[in-house]
Amino acid sequence: MGASAPGSEDEAMIIDRQHLVDYLRAHGRVDTVDRVEAELPEQVDVHAQEALLLSLGVDIDALLDHEPDHLAERTDPHGMHPY
């Protein structure tokens, strides 16, 4: 799964902060969980927060591929793509 649909590089890719926390824990990055919970909103725009995510050592493609099954059917308010 890519971060956005082809030709839509500027569109937001929103994930739940809890998904990011779950990803970090699953990848042994528990040291960064407190920072994520303190610095990021409940709904995280992956593109807007890319620099922070990369500084935390997050592989964004892996994060998006790690999407839990219960999120796969959810769509953003415009119905554009899962978040």
Side-chain angles (χ1 to χ4, degrees):
M1 177 171 113
S4 59
S8 61
E9 291 298 317
D10 294 328
E11 289 186 28
M13 179 59 182
I14 308 297
I15 63 169
D16 289 331
R17 180 181 61 206
Q18 187 60 47
H19 171 67
L20 176 57
V21 167
D22 293 345
Y23 168 86
L24 292 168
R25 287 186 174 134
H27 288 84
R29 301 298 312 271
V30 294
D31 57 314
T32 60
V33 169
D34 288 339
R35 183 173 174 199
V36 164
E37 291 179 329
E39 293 185 31
L40 293 175
E42 287 188 29
Q43 297 295 303
V44 179
D45 181 338
V46 174
H47 295 304
Q49 299 294 335
E50 183 174 9
L52 175 61
L53 296 174
L54 292 174
S55 76
L56 295 171
V58 173
D59 177 336
I60 293 173
D61 288 332
L63 170 68
L64 297 176
D65 287 342
H66 183 262
E67 185 170 293
D69 292 338
H70 71 276
L71 293 180
E73 296 179 12
R74 293 176 58 184
T75 58
D76 71 15
H78 305 290
M80 300 302 287
H81 43 72
Y83 73 103

